[in-house]
């Protein structure tokens, strides 16, 4: 069975994918796809066309990140360049795999992928997610957490499209047990 896994920043999506891999599932993170595409010549060319006065050759990932948070208009331009290719890659993976979990952020552009596939929403309270971020982020940059959280929270009703909602305010053992009872048996 293939699943799309979504949830806000630090909700446990990656940990859940790691659990899936221990049970023989394949896993793919949309963030990893985006990171790889930051160096794709076609993507860079499209970005250059959209952002004429911006430099992408030296450190494209950092340049894209800065633009993404600069303005809503820039964020939309970047999404319009990346999302069609990311969705193409995700759909190809779904078609060619029988047991894969694909992590995608809870964004409006991802609603169709979430609605059209079996999907899981990782529901974790803000306090727990902030604590996880602080443990994970060596710079302890809560400003970045808040930006991503706000960006993703724009689509909080995305959980209504999901088949399974996992309350993940606990430890990794809880996720492992949930995986065994809800995913493997489905």
């Amino acid at each position: 069975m293939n699943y799309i896994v979504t949830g806000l920043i630090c909700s446990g999506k990656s940990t859940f994918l790691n659990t899936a891999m221990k049970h023989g599932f394949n896993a793919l993170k949309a963030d990893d796809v985006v990171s790889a595409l930051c160096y794709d010549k076609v993507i860079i060319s499209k970005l250059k066309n959209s952002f004429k006065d911006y430099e992408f050759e030296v450190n494209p990932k950092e340049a894209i990140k800065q633009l993404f948070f600069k303005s809503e208009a820039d964020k939309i331009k970047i999404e319009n360049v990346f999302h069609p290719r990311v969705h193409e890659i995700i759909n190809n993976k779904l078609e060619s795999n029988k047991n894969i979990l694909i992590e995608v952020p809870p964004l409006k552009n991802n609603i169709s992928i979430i609605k059209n596939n079996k999907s899981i929403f990782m529901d974790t309270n803000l306090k727990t997610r902030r604590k996880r971020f602080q443990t994970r982020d060596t710079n302890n940059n809560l400003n970045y957490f808040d930006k991503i959280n706000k960006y993703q929270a724009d689509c909080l009703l995305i959980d209504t499209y999901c088949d399974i909602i996992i309350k993940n305010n606990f430890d990794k053992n809880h996720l492992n047990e949930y995986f065994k009872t809800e995913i493997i048996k489905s």
Side-chain angles (χ1 to χ4, degrees), residues 20-132:
M21 290 187 294
K22 290 176 186 173
H23 290 284
F25 281 75
N26 294 313
L28 176 69
K29 297 178 185 179
D31 287 349
D32 292 344
V33 173
V34 170
S35 290
L37 289 175
C38 285
Y39 302 93
D40 182 272
K41 291 179 183 180
V42 173
I43 296 291
I44 296 297
S45 175
K46 289 179 180 182
L47 289 170
K48 285 180 180 179
N49 287 336
S50 293
F51 301 98
K52 303 266 188 232
D53 298 327
Y54 229 82
E55 175 66 41
F56 293 99
E57 280 76 20
V58 176
N59 189 348
K61 189 173 179 180
E62 186 59 33
I64 293 163
K65 181 179 172 181
Q66 288 177 10
L67 273 171
F68 188 83
F69 290 115
K70 186 178 174 188
S71 73
E72 182 69 20
D74 289 345
K75 180 179 76 167
I76 291 169
K77 286 181 188 178
I78 290 168
E79 288 176 339
N80 288 339
V81 169
F82 276 89
H83 283 184
R85 182 67 181 122
V86 170
H87 289 177
E88 179 185 354
I89 291 167
I90 288 171
N91 285 323
N92 287 342
K93 289 288 185 183
L94 289 167
E95 289 175 14
S96 63
N97 285 275
K98 291 188 179 183
N99 287 314
I100 188 167
L101 275 74
I102 300 176
E103 173 189 346
V104 300
L107 308 175
K108 290 177 187 170
N109 287 335
N110 291 334
I111 289 176
S112 64
I113 286 178
I114 292 166
K115 283 174 69 172
N116 294 329
N117 293 282
K118 293 287 272 180
S119 56
I120 300 166
F121 184 82
M122 304 299 291
D123 186 15
T124 310
N125 67 47
L126 178 62
K127 181 180 176 182
T128 301
R129 291 186 299 109
R130 285 178 74 87
K131 183 177 176 183
R132 288 176 185 165

Side-chain angles (χ1 to χ4, degrees), residues 7-13 124-125 128-134 136 145 152 168:
L8 296 170
I9 183 172
C10 293
S11 60
K13 299 179 301 292
T124 310
N125 67 47
T128 301
R129 291 186 299 109
R130 285 178 74 87
K131 183 177 176 183
R132 288 176 185 165
F133 182 83
Q134 288 177 300
R136 183 173 80 185
F145 173 89
Q152 293 178 345
N168 186 30

